[in-house]
Amino acid sequence: MMAKTDWPKSALSTDVMQTLDAILREWCAENACDRESEQGRLIAKSLVDWFEFGVTERAELERLVRDDVTIDKPRKP
């Protein structure tokens, strides 16, 4: 059995949430996608995942979602 690693998570402050929301709004506008759609929700989740992983620079977060880079969590058997 593999050991579980818990990464320390930074709090999602109001400023962080506003930044992530702005990135999501821009991505959705560029991709003609509604924020409430499945794709919009996946991008929102990806932004939060990347932030919690430690990516905090806006430009880097924008690049990751633009290039469709996601963090895939292992699936339970």
Side-chain angles (χ1 to χ4, degrees), residues 23 35 59:
I23 295 169
R35 292 174 40 177

Side-chain angles (χ1 to χ4, degrees), residues 54-68:
V55 179
T56 58
E57 296 292 325
R58 181 180 176 136
E60 184 66 9
L61 290 165
E62 290 171 335
R63 185 191 67 76
L64 289 165
V65 296
R66 182 184 61 244
D67 294 346
D68 198 26

